[in-house]
Amino acid sequence: MQLHCLGTAGYHPSETRHTSSYFLPESGVALDAGTGMFRLPERIQTSTLDILLSHAHLDHVVGLTFLLGILYQRPVDVVRVWGEEEKLSAVRTHLTSQYLFPVELPVQWCPIDDLSEIELDDCRVTWRQQNHPGGSVAYRIDWHDGKSLVYATDSTGDHDEATLNWMGGVDVLLHECNFHDSQKEWAIKTGHCYLQKVSEIAESVQPKQLLLTHINPVDELTLPADDERFAMPVSIVADHDEITF
Ligand SMILES: [Zn+2]
Ligand SMILES: [Zn+2]
């Protein structure tokens, strides 16, 4: 399975990072729709696109407005945008208000609130709510071939037993880490994670691979060399990374 990192920053783009946007080309699944979305067209391999929104903060949804250009370059049969109903409603009311954007987006809006899972061609998607201002959801994708990935961003790092069990044993844990350990107070104030918190979650979940995302463009996270808190391979993802798992 391939994970393409189209945008790895939180908040706003930097010279080297666009905002949160990931793509799994074999499944046609996008995780969030930040400014990195413009990198999508050449990577599309399927006739459908399923965009899973963690929440509706601008750094995760502004790229939905790029879809006209994306689909002009690489048409597909259907685009579905999944997320909590009130977040989808906020996007439709505000982001695609005629005062902000001139036309309706050519997508199907698919609320997840009353669903227990999403069945796609080659995988099954489940989710859990997270603590973040306004709320957000983490997604877990389990492919029919046994591979799995959890995408947990914009969260204070939920670590109750049910959440850790739900994340358990994944191949890839793509987890946010917006802040350094020295910025713990900022993490709590803004609803984000810091490195120690992510290390505790990873210790419980034991993913085969830990990828850190939603990198603060103003003060980039660094990983101490040989950080003994992590028993598994851990890296800070970069734009254009293509990760095989
Ligand atoms: Zn964010
Ligand atoms: Zn957010």
Side-chain angles (χ1 to χ4, degrees), residues 53-105:
L53 296 182
S54 62
H55 63 318
H57 285 165
L58 282 172
D59 50 334
H60 301 259
V61 300
V62 69
L64 291 173
T65 64
F66 306 167
L67 275 168
L68 298 185
I70 291 166
L71 298 172
Y72 172 79
Q73 296 171 77
R74 177 62 175 85
V76 298
D77 295 339
V78 61
V79 180
R80 291 177 287 253
V81 180
W82 303 87
E84 291 181 293
E85 187 161 23
E86 59 184 0
K87 314 296 169 55
L88 299 184
S89 169
V91 168
R92 297 182 71 179
T93 303
H94 302 294
L95 191 65
T96 62
S97 150
Q98 63 173 328
Y99 300 116
L100 271 74
F101 195 70
V103 296
E104 286 276 324
L105 295 176

Side-chain angles (χ1 to χ4, degrees), residues 2 13 31 41 47 58 62 64 119 169 189 196 206 243:
Q2 289 266 310
L31 303 170
S47 59
L58 282 172
V62 69
L64 291 173
E119 228 12 283
K189 194 185 295 184
Q196 174 62 25
Q206 289 294 321
I243 288 140

Side-chain angles (χ1 to χ4, degrees), residues 29-32 50-54 82 118 125 139 141 151:
V29 170
L31 303 170
D32 278 334
D50 287 283
I51 302 171
L52 308 177
L53 296 182
S54 62
W82 303 87
I118 304 167
V125 181
Y139 289 100
I141 307 177
Y151 176 55

